[in-house]
Coordinates of all heavy atoms in Angstrom, one line a residue:
Y324 N 3.4 77.4 324.5 CA 2.5 78.5 324.6 C 1.1 78.2 324.7 O 0.2 79.0 325.1 CB 2.8 79.5 323.4 CG 4.2 80.1 323.5 CD1 4.9 80.1 322.3 CD2 4.7 80.6 324.6 CE1 6.2 80.7 322.3 CE2 6.0 81.1 324.7 CZ 6.7 81.2 323.5 OH 8.0 81.7 323.5
G325 N 0.7 76.9 324.4 CA -0.7 76.5 324.6 C -1.1 76.6 326.1 O -2.3 76.7 326.4
V328 N -3.6 79.2 327.6 CA -5.0 79.0 327.8 C -5.3 78.7 329.3 O -6.3 79.3 329.8 CB -5.5 77.9 326.9 CG1 -7.0 77.6 327.1 CG2 -5.3 78.2 325.4
R354 N -10.9 86.0 325.7 CA -10.9 85.2 324.4 C -10.0 84.0 324.4 O -10.4 82.9 324.0 CB -10.4 86.2 323.3 CG -10.4 85.5 321.9 CD -9.7 86.4 320.9 NE -8.3 86.7 321.2 CZ -7.3 85.9 320.9 NH1 -7.5 84.7 320.4 NH2 -6.1 86.3 321.2
I355 N -8.8 84.2 324.9 CA -7.8 83.1 325.0 C -8.3 81.9 325.9 O -8.1 80.7 325.6 CB -6.5 83.6 325.4 CG1 -5.9 84.5 324.3 CG2 -5.5 82.4 325.7 CD1 -4.7 85.3 324.7
N357 N -11.2 80.9 326.2 CA -12.2 80.1 325.5 C -11.7 79.2 324.4 O -12.5 78.5 323.8 CB -13.3 81.1 325.0 CG -14.1 81.8 326.0 OD1 -14.3 81.2 327.1 ND2 -14.5 83.0 325.8
I358 N -10.4 79.2 324.2 CA -9.8 78.4 323.1 C -9.9 76.9 323.6 O -9.5 76.6 324.6 CB -8.4 78.8 322.8 CG1 -8.3 80.2 322.2 CG2 -7.7 77.8 321.9 CD1 -7.0 80.7 321.9
T359 N -10.5 76.1 322.7 CA -10.6 74.7 323.0 C -9.7 73.8 322.1 O -9.3 72.7 322.5 CB -12.0 74.2 322.8 OG1 -12.5 74.5 321.5 CG2 -12.9 74.9 323.9
D360 N -9.4 74.3 320.9 CA -8.5 73.6 320.0 C -7.2 74.3 319.9 O -7.0 75.3 319.2 CB -9.2 73.5 318.6 CG -8.5 72.6 317.6 OD1 -7.3 72.2 318.0 OD2 -9.0 72.5 316.5
L361 N -6.2 73.7 320.6 CA -4.8 74.3 320.6 C -4.1 74.3 319.2 O -3.2 75.1 319.0 CB -3.9 73.7 321.6 CG -4.4 73.8 323.1 CD1 -3.4 73.1 324.0 CD2 -4.7 75.2 323.5
T362 N -4.6 73.4 318.4 CA -3.9 73.4 317.0 C -4.2 74.6 316.2 O -3.5 74.9 315.3 CB -4.4 72.1 316.3 OG1 -5.8 72.2 316.0 CG2 -4.1 70.9 317.1
K363 N -5.3 75.3 316.6 CA -5.6 76.5 315.8 C -4.9 77.8 316.4 O -5.0 78.9 315.9 CB -7.2 76.8 315.9 CG -7.9 75.7 315.1 CD -9.4 76.0 315.1 CE -10.2 74.9 314.3 NZ -11.7 75.2 314.3
K364 N -4.2 77.5 317.5 CA -3.4 78.6 318.1 C -4.3 79.8 318.5 O -5.4 79.6 318.9 CB -2.2 79.0 317.2 CG -1.3 77.8 317.0 CD 0.0 78.2 316.3 CE 1.0 77.0 316.2 NZ 2.2 77.4 315.5
G365 N -3.8 81.0 318.4 CA -4.5 82.2 318.8 C -4.3 82.6 320.2 O -4.9 83.5 320.7
Y366 N -3.5 81.8 320.9 CA -3.2 82.1 322.3 C -2.0 83.0 322.6 O -1.7 83.4 323.7 CB -3.0 80.8 323.1 CG -2.3 79.7 322.4 CD1 -0.9 79.8 322.2 CD2 -2.9 78.6 321.8 CE1 -0.2 78.8 321.5 CE2 -2.2 77.6 321.1 CZ -0.9 77.7 321.0 OH -0.2 76.8 320.3
G367 N -1.3 83.3 321.5 CA -0.2 84.2 321.6 C 1.1 83.6 322.1 O 1.2 82.5 322.5
G368 N 2.2 84.4 321.9 CA 3.5 84.1 322.4 C 3.9 85.0 323.6 O 3.1 85.8 324.0
Q371 N 3.5 88.9 323.1 CA 2.1 89.3 323.2 C 1.6 89.4 324.6 O 0.9 90.3 325.0 CB 1.2 88.4 322.3 CG -0.2 88.8 322.2 CD -1.0 88.0 321.2 OE1 -0.4 87.4 320.3 NE2 -2.3 88.0 321.3

Side-chain angles (χ1 to χ4, degrees):
Y324 295 133
V328 175
R354 176 188 64 78
I355 292 169
N357 290 329
I358 293 176
T359 55
D360 185 354
L361 297 184
T362 63
K363 294 183 179 180
K364 298 189 176 181
Y366 37 74
Q371 188 170 336

